[in-house]
Amino acid sequence: MPHTAQQFASDNYAGICPEAWDAMAQANRGHAPAYGDDPWTDAAADAFRRLFDTDCEVFFAFNGTAANSLALAALCQSYHSVICSSSAHVETDECGAPEFFSNGSKLLVAQTADGKLTPQAVRALATSRSDIHFPKTRAVTITQPTETGQVYTIAEIEALSATCRELGLRLHMDGARFANACATLGCSPAAMTWQAGVDVLCFGGTKNGMGVGEAILFFDRALAQDFDYRCKQAGQLASKMRFLAAPWVGLLDSGAWVRNAAHANACAQRVAQRVADLPGIGLMFPVEANAVFLQAPESVLAGLRERGWRFYTFIGGGARFMFAWDADPDRVEALIADIRAAALAEDLVPA
Ligand SMILES: *Cc1c(COP(=O)(O)O)cnc(C)c1O
């Protein structure tokens, strides 16, 4: 099968990083008990507890939609509601799975520019209704970094969690790119989560260098009651669980999780810095993680497509470029050169 040149349309176009792959190969030596009753699953859960410096409950799922949906379902009854931002993956990209797995908990959407929720937005939605006819607000979900690549500061998370506590809400974090946020802030995973008041985290493995898999961490262990049954019922209990668990051991114990993310972030920074001066080109959002959203005339986007680049334009018509753990510096340079060429060619066209 031929390899195609790297594209930056999505960070899940990338393959599996060596640390995750090696751990899979080790787990593949011989047999092991099924359904998580194996040494790799224990080792992965322990690696998370060490990394987060707390005795959390750890579960593994195949993908982020399941992780988010089941985590939110664990926080809610069917008559509850969950506050999220208008660009949240749970709202825009999970086909109603959070509502489905919670048997109907409603998502309450706050309109935000950069995908970040604020205490004010949470308070406004949570207090807008308190009558029996409206679903009772129960949880808040934030995406760190957001779908457009903004990173909540620890102070912002603390302010949100304080509002949640005051209003009796639980705080969930969709960390599909959690490692990228850690790399940006240079803080410990603990500081960004349970120490800041996050109750449940979905930690993304797929976009961090694994082939498949996400981890769900309950910092409040009581919230994890019967979560194993919830996973099984949803088709998320892997019988050969060691292959979902082992790559985490490779990623976490080697430090690859944060190295991978830092590399991806650096590539995004590089592109942002090298195209910001171009006529007609703008950054739609500050570049704080591994995403670059370019605002550019349609003719420039067409020029990029002609030069062979793939990208999505589903947010505001701008071009999204996402950098993965293995972004090839030469391809990043080629992208920069082509963005420059396309923009400057456009600039030469007489008005
Ligand atoms: C990729 C992603 C997920 C997980 O998506 P799946 O395709 O279900 O694995 C969740 N949240 C965000 C913000 C994402 O970008």
mmCIF file of all heavy atoms in Angstrom, residues 11 64-65 68 89 94 142-145 147 172-181 201-209 213-215 248 290:
data_model
loop_
_atom_site.group_PDB
_atom_site.id
_atom_site.type_symbol
_atom_site.label_atom_id
_atom_site.label_comp_id
_atom_site.label_asym_id
_atom_site.label_seq_id
_atom_site.Cartn_x
_atom_site.Cartn_y
_atom_site.Cartn_z
ATOM 1 N N ASP A 11 -5.313 15.842 13.165
ATOM 2 C CA ASP A 11 -4.250 15.174 13.910
ATOM 3 C C ASP A 11 -4.527 13.684 14.054
ATOM 4 O O ASP A 11 -3.648 12.940 14.487
ATOM 5 C CB ASP A 11 -3.995 15.836 15.277
ATOM 6 C CG ASP A 11 -5.260 16.300 15.979
ATOM 7 O OD1 ASP A 11 -6.362 16.152 15.408
ATOM 8 O OD2 ASP A 11 -5.149 16.804 17.102
ATOM 9 N N GLY A 64 -13.371 8.799 21.816
ATOM 10 C CA GLY A 64 -13.720 9.951 22.633
ATOM 11 C C GLY A 64 -15.217 10.162 22.760
ATOM 12 O O GLY A 64 -15.699 10.636 23.791
ATOM 13 N N THR A 65 -15.950 9.840 21.725
ATOM 14 C CA THR A 65 -17.400 9.982 21.795
ATOM 15 C C THR A 65 -17.951 9.114 22.922
ATOM 16 O O THR A 65 -18.773 9.563 23.733
ATOM 17 C CB THR A 65 -18.035 9.583 20.443
ATOM 18 O OG1 THR A 65 -17.576 10.497 19.442
ATOM 19 C CG2 THR A 65 -19.549 9.632 20.496
ATOM 20 N N ASN A 68 -16.659 10.556 26.459
ATOM 21 C CA ASN A 68 -17.416 11.742 26.882
ATOM 22 C C ASN A 68 -18.845 11.382 27.264
ATOM 23 O O ASN A 68 -19.358 11.808 28.300
ATOM 24 C CB ASN A 68 -17.475 12.773 25.745
ATOM 25 C CG ASN A 68 -16.180 13.544 25.581
ATOM 26 O OD1 ASN A 68 -15.390 13.664 26.517
ATOM 27 N ND2 ASN A 68 -15.959 14.073 24.391
ATOM 28 N N HIS A 89 -17.419 19.490 21.114
ATOM 29 C CA HIS A 89 -17.510 18.217 20.386
ATOM 30 C C HIS A 89 -18.770 17.451 20.792
ATOM 31 O O HIS A 89 -19.439 16.862 19.939
ATOM 32 C CB HIS A 89 -16.246 17.391 20.701
ATOM 33 C CG HIS A 89 -15.970 16.290 19.734
ATOM 34 N ND1 HIS A 89 -16.440 15.007 19.903
ATOM 35 C CD2 HIS A 89 -15.239 16.256 18.594
ATOM 36 C CE1 HIS A 89 -16.016 14.239 18.914
ATOM 37 N NE2 HIS A 89 -15.287 14.975 18.096
ATOM 38 N N GLU A 94 -20.927 14.434 18.070
ATOM 39 C CA GLU A 94 -21.101 13.117 18.687
ATOM 40 C C GLU A 94 -22.469 12.518 18.396
ATOM 41 O O GLU A 94 -22.897 11.576 19.067
ATOM 42 C CB GLU A 94 -20.776 13.180 20.200
ATOM 43 C CG GLU A 94 -19.308 13.593 20.378
ATOM 44 C CD GLU A 94 -18.733 13.498 21.782
ATOM 45 O OE1 GLU A 94 -19.482 13.190 22.730
ATOM 46 O OE2 GLU A 94 -17.516 13.727 21.905
ATOM 47 N N ILE A 142 -16.235 21.132 29.757
ATOM 48 C CA ILE A 142 -15.333 22.040 29.044
ATOM 49 C C ILE A 142 -14.347 21.202 28.232
ATOM 50 O O ILE A 142 -14.041 20.064 28.595
ATOM 51 C CB ILE A 142 -14.560 22.986 29.999
ATOM 52 C CG1 ILE A 142 -13.724 22.194 31.019
ATOM 53 C CG2 ILE A 142 -15.533 23.919 30.708
ATOM 54 C CD1 ILE A 142 -12.848 23.084 31.921
ATOM 55 N N THR A 143 -13.888 21.772 27.121
ATOM 56 C CA THR A 143 -12.919 21.074 26.266
ATOM 57 C C THR A 143 -11.569 21.762 26.421
ATOM 58 O O THR A 143 -11.467 22.972 26.223
ATOM 59 C CB THR A 143 -13.373 21.107 24.800
ATOM 60 O OG1 THR A 143 -14.725 20.673 24.716
ATOM 61 C CG2 THR A 143 -12.493 20.207 23.944
ATOM 62 N N GLN A 144 -10.556 20.974 26.789
ATOM 63 C CA GLN A 144 -9.233 21.533 27.055
ATOM 64 C C GLN A 144 -8.182 20.808 26.231
ATOM 65 O O GLN A 144 -7.904 19.655 26.501
ATOM 66 C CB GLN A 144 -8.924 21.402 28.562
ATOM 67 C CG GLN A 144 -7.538 21.783 28.994
ATOM 68 C CD GLN A 144 -7.276 23.287 29.038
ATOM 69 O OE1 GLN A 144 -7.797 24.029 28.218
ATOM 70 N NE2 GLN A 144 -6.451 23.717 29.945
ATOM 71 N N PRO A 145 -7.530 21.436 25.225
ATOM 72 C CA PRO A 145 -7.868 22.729 24.666
ATOM 73 C C PRO A 145 -9.181 22.670 23.885
ATOM 74 O O PRO A 145 -9.625 21.593 23.515
ATOM 75 C CB PRO A 145 -6.695 23.005 23.720
ATOM 76 C CG PRO A 145 -6.153 21.678 23.349
ATOM 77 C CD PRO A 145 -6.386 20.796 24.531
ATOM 78 N N GLU A 147 -12.021 23.182 20.835
ATOM 79 C CA GLU A 147 -12.063 22.680 19.455
ATOM 80 C C GLU A 147 -11.327 23.619 18.507
ATOM 81 O O GLU A 147 -10.899 23.206 17.433
ATOM 82 C CB GLU A 147 -13.514 22.495 19.023
ATOM 83 C CG GLU A 147 -14.233 21.309 19.677
ATOM 84 C CD GLU A 147 -14.534 21.473 21.164
ATOM 85 O OE1 GLU A 147 -14.359 22.582 21.731
ATOM 86 O OE2 GLU A 147 -14.946 20.479 21.773
ATOM 87 N N HIS A 172 -16.872 18.281 34.123
ATOM 88 C CA HIS A 172 -16.248 17.275 33.245
ATOM 89 C C HIS A 172 -15.323 17.993 32.264
ATOM 90 O O HIS A 172 -15.632 19.091 31.804
ATOM 91 C CB HIS A 172 -17.350 16.539 32.465
ATOM 92 C CG HIS A 172 -16.862 15.755 31.288
ATOM 93 N ND1 HIS A 172 -16.879 16.244 29.983
ATOM 94 C CD2 HIS A 172 -16.323 14.513 31.191
ATOM 95 C CE1 HIS A 172 -16.392 15.328 29.159
ATOM 96 N NE2 HIS A 172 -16.048 14.272 29.860
ATOM 97 N N MET A 173 -14.195 17.362 31.970
ATOM 98 C CA MET A 173 -13.270 17.929 30.985
ATOM 99 C C MET A 173 -13.094 16.953 29.829
ATOM 100 O O MET A 173 -12.701 15.799 30.045
ATOM 101 C CB MET A 173 -11.914 18.224 31.643
ATOM 102 C CG MET A 173 -10.878 18.806 30.690
ATOM 103 S SD MET A 173 -9.291 19.141 31.522
ATOM 104 C CE MET A 173 -9.633 20.724 32.291
ATOM 105 N N ASP A 174 -13.409 17.424 28.611
ATOM 106 C CA ASP A 174 -13.104 16.666 27.396
ATOM 107 C C ASP A 174 -11.651 16.989 27.046
ATOM 108 O O ASP A 174 -11.351 18.063 26.540
ATOM 109 C CB ASP A 174 -14.057 17.099 26.270
ATOM 110 C CG ASP A 174 -13.703 16.477 24.912
ATOM 111 O OD1 ASP A 174 -12.624 15.831 24.799
ATOM 112 O OD2 ASP A 174 -14.491 16.633 23.968
ATOM 113 N N GLY A 175 -10.777 16.042 27.328
ATOM 114 C CA GLY A 175 -9.355 16.238 27.072
ATOM 115 C C GLY A 175 -8.879 15.413 25.897
ATOM 116 O O GLY A 175 -7.865 14.721 25.990
ATOM 117 N N ALA A 176 -9.607 15.504 24.784
ATOM 118 C CA ALA A 176 -9.182 14.767 23.587
ATOM 119 C C ALA A 176 -7.743 15.145 23.227
ATOM 120 O O ALA A 176 -6.995 14.333 22.688
ATOM 121 C CB ALA A 176 -10.112 15.069 22.417
ATOM 122 N N ARG A 177 -7.380 16.402 23.535
ATOM 123 C CA ARG A 177 -5.993 16.869 23.318
ATOM 124 C C ARG A 177 -5.411 17.398 24.632
ATOM 125 O O ARG A 177 -4.699 18.406 24.651
ATOM 126 C CB ARG A 177 -5.965 17.946 22.235
ATOM 127 C CG ARG A 177 -6.495 17.467 20.901
ATOM 128 C CD ARG A 177 -6.382 18.505 19.805
ATOM 129 N NE ARG A 177 -6.915 17.990 18.554
ATOM 130 C CZ ARG A 177 -8.190 18.088 18.182
ATOM 131 N NH1 ARG A 177 -9.068 18.722 18.962
ATOM 132 N NH2 ARG A 177 -8.597 17.576 17.034
ATOM 133 N N PHE A 178 -5.734 16.693 25.711
ATOM 134 C CA PHE A 178 -5.293 17.124 27.041
ATOM 135 C C PHE A 178 -3.780 17.330 27.099
ATOM 136 O O PHE A 178 -3.284 18.284 27.688
ATOM 137 C CB PHE A 178 -5.722 16.066 28.072
ATOM 138 C CG PHE A 178 -5.362 16.401 29.477
ATOM 139 C CD1 PHE A 178 -6.139 17.280 30.211
ATOM 140 C CD2 PHE A 178 -4.242 15.833 30.075
ATOM 141 C CE1 PHE A 178 -5.806 17.599 31.527
ATOM 142 C CE2 PHE A 178 -3.904 16.152 31.387
ATOM 143 C CZ PHE A 178 -4.689 17.038 32.107
ATOM 144 N N ALA A 179 -3.044 16.427 26.475
ATOM 145 C CA ALA A 179 -1.577 16.511 26.518
ATOM 146 C C ALA A 179 -1.087 17.814 25.888
ATOM 147 O O ALA A 179 -0.121 18.418 26.370
ATOM 148 C CB ALA A 179 -0.966 15.311 25.797
ATOM 149 N N ASN A 180 -1.767 18.270 24.826
ATOM 150 C CA ASN A 180 -1.358 19.524 24.182
ATOM 151 C C ASN A 180 -1.541 20.707 25.126
ATOM 152 O O ASN A 180 -0.731 21.633 25.139
ATOM 153 C CB ASN A 180 -2.168 19.742 22.899
ATOM 154 C CG ASN A 180 -1.937 18.620 21.900
ATOM 155 O OD1 ASN A 180 -2.623 17.598 21.950
ATOM 156 N ND2 ASN A 180 -0.961 18.769 21.033
ATOM 157 N N ALA A 181 -2.613 20.670 25.913
ATOM 158 C CA ALA A 181 -2.837 21.751 26.880
ATOM 159 C C ALA A 181 -1.764 21.721 27.976
ATOM 160 O O ALA A 181 -1.261 22.772 28.383
ATOM 161 C CB ALA A 181 -4.238 21.634 27.481
ATOM 162 N N LEU A 201 -12.220 13.450 33.928
ATOM 163 C CA LEU A 201 -11.445 13.820 32.740
ATOM 164 C C LEU A 201 -11.490 12.692 31.716
ATOM 165 O O LEU A 201 -11.284 11.531 32.071
ATOM 166 C CB LEU A 201 -9.974 14.060 33.133
ATOM 167 C CG LEU A 201 -8.978 14.170 31.962
ATOM 168 C CD1 LEU A 201 -9.182 15.463 31.178
ATOM 169 C CD2 LEU A 201 -7.537 14.085 32.468
ATOM 170 N N CYS A 202 -11.733 13.051 30.459
ATOM 171 C CA CYS A 202 -11.503 12.111 29.361
ATOM 172 C C CYS A 202 -10.171 12.513 28.728
ATOM 173 O O CYS A 202 -10.046 13.618 28.190
ATOM 174 C CB CYS A 202 -12.631 12.168 28.340
ATOM 175 S SG CYS A 202 -14.202 11.630 29.034
ATOM 176 N N PHE A 203 -9.204 11.633 28.826
ATOM 177 C CA PHE A 203 -7.836 11.902 28.379
ATOM 178 C C PHE A 203 -7.661 11.195 27.040
ATOM 179 O O PHE A 203 -7.752 9.971 26.959
ATOM 180 C CB PHE A 203 -6.858 11.364 29.430
ATOM 181 C CG PHE A 203 -5.397 11.728 29.237
ATOM 182 C CD1 PHE A 203 -4.654 12.182 30.314
ATOM 183 C CD2 PHE A 203 -4.750 11.591 28.020
ATOM 184 C CE1 PHE A 203 -3.297 12.500 30.183
ATOM 185 C CE2 PHE A 203 -3.409 11.916 27.868
ATOM 186 C CZ PHE A 203 -2.683 12.363 28.953
ATOM 187 N N GLY A 204 -7.409 11.968 25.989
ATOM 188 C CA GLY A 204 -7.340 11.410 24.650
ATOM 189 C C GLY A 204 -6.017 10.727 24.354
ATOM 190 O O GLY A 204 -4.959 11.323 24.506
ATOM 191 N N GLY A 205 -6.109 9.492 23.896
ATOM 192 C CA GLY A 205 -4.920 8.769 23.473
ATOM 193 C C GLY A 205 -4.732 8.809 21.966
ATOM 194 O O GLY A 205 -3.618 8.877 21.455
ATOM 195 N N THR A 206 -5.862 8.780 21.241
ATOM 196 C CA THR A 206 -5.788 8.665 19.787
ATOM 197 C C THR A 206 -4.986 9.812 19.180
ATOM 198 O O THR A 206 -4.118 9.593 18.338
ATOM 199 C CB THR A 206 -7.207 8.645 19.192
ATOM 200 O OG1 THR A 206 -7.989 7.695 19.920
ATOM 201 C CG2 THR A 206 -7.178 8.279 17.731
ATOM 202 N N LYS A 207 -5.278 11.055 19.623
ATOM 203 C CA LYS A 207 -4.597 12.209 19.038
ATOM 204 C C LYS A 207 -3.249 12.464 19.700
ATOM 205 O O LYS A 207 -2.565 13.433 19.373
ATOM 206 C CB LYS A 207 -5.507 13.439 19.137
ATOM 207 C CG LYS A 207 -6.705 13.328 18.203
ATOM 208 C CD LYS A 207 -7.780 14.342 18.514
ATOM 209 C CE LYS A 207 -8.988 14.127 17.587
ATOM 210 N NZ LYS A 207 -10.236 14.615 18.181
ATOM 211 N N ASN A 208 -2.875 11.592 20.621
ATOM 212 C CA ASN A 208 -1.609 11.762 21.334
ATOM 213 C C ASN A 208 -0.576 10.721 20.905
ATOM 214 O O ASN A 208 0.519 10.688 21.461
ATOM 215 C CB ASN A 208 -1.879 11.685 22.848
ATOM 216 C CG ASN A 208 -0.742 12.169 23.719
ATOM 217 O OD1 ASN A 208 -0.589 11.720 24.857
ATOM 218 N ND2 ASN A 208 0.096 13.066 23.224
ATOM 219 N N GLY A 209 -0.940 9.876 19.930
ATOM 220 C CA GLY A 209 0.045 8.921 19.422
ATOM 221 C C GLY A 209 -0.351 7.459 19.522
ATOM 222 O O GLY A 209 0.431 6.584 19.181
ATOM 223 N N GLY A 213 -8.006 4.645 21.441
ATOM 224 C CA GLY A 213 -8.205 4.562 22.883
ATOM 225 C C GLY A 213 -8.175 5.877 23.631
ATOM 226 O O GLY A 213 -7.408 6.781 23.305
ATOM 227 N N GLU A 214 -9.052 5.971 24.603
ATOM 228 C CA GLU A 214 -9.153 7.126 25.491
ATOM 229 C C GLU A 214 -9.270 6.599 26.918
ATOM 230 O O GLU A 214 -9.781 5.502 27.133
ATOM 231 C CB GLU A 214 -10.390 7.969 25.171
ATOM 232 C CG GLU A 214 -10.643 8.170 23.683
ATOM 233 C CD GLU A 214 -9.818 9.290 23.056
ATOM 234 O OE1 GLU A 214 -9.938 10.433 23.526
ATOM 235 O OE2 GLU A 214 -9.070 8.997 22.098
ATOM 236 N N ALA A 215 -8.835 7.381 27.860
ATOM 237 C CA ALA A 215 -8.960 6.985 29.266
ATOM 238 C C ALA A 215 -9.956 7.912 29.945
ATOM 239 O O ALA A 215 -10.024 9.104 29.629
ATOM 240 C CB ALA A 215 -7.609 7.057 29.954
ATOM 241 N N TRP A 248 -0.840 3.017 26.622
ATOM 242 C CA TRP A 248 -0.780 4.070 27.649
ATOM 243 C C TRP A 248 0.475 3.920 28.502
ATOM 244 O O TRP A 248 1.109 4.913 28.877
ATOM 245 C CB TRP A 248 -2.000 4.011 28.563
ATOM 246 C CG TRP A 248 -3.260 4.558 27.978
ATOM 247 C CD1 TRP A 248 -4.417 3.880 27.718
ATOM 248 C CD2 TRP A 248 -3.515 5.926 27.597
ATOM 249 N NE1 TRP A 248 -5.359 4.730 27.194
ATOM 250 C CE2 TRP A 248 -4.833 5.989 27.117
ATOM 251 C CE3 TRP A 248 -2.742 7.091 27.617
ATOM 252 C CZ2 TRP A 248 -5.410 7.176 26.663
ATOM 253 C CZ3 TRP A 248 -3.316 8.275 27.167
ATOM 254 C CH2 TRP A 248 -4.623 8.309 26.697
ATOM 255 N N ASN A 290 -2.274 22.768 19.116
ATOM 256 C CA ASN A 290 -1.744 22.226 17.857
ATOM 257 C C ASN A 290 -2.599 22.554 16.646
ATOM 258 O O ASN A 290 -2.485 21.904 15.618
ATOM 259 C CB ASN A 290 -1.566 20.704 17.977
ATOM 260 C CG ASN A 290 -2.892 19.985 18.155
ATOM 261 O OD1 ASN A 290 -3.819 20.516 18.739
ATOM 262 N ND2 ASN A 290 -2.967 18.770 17.646
#
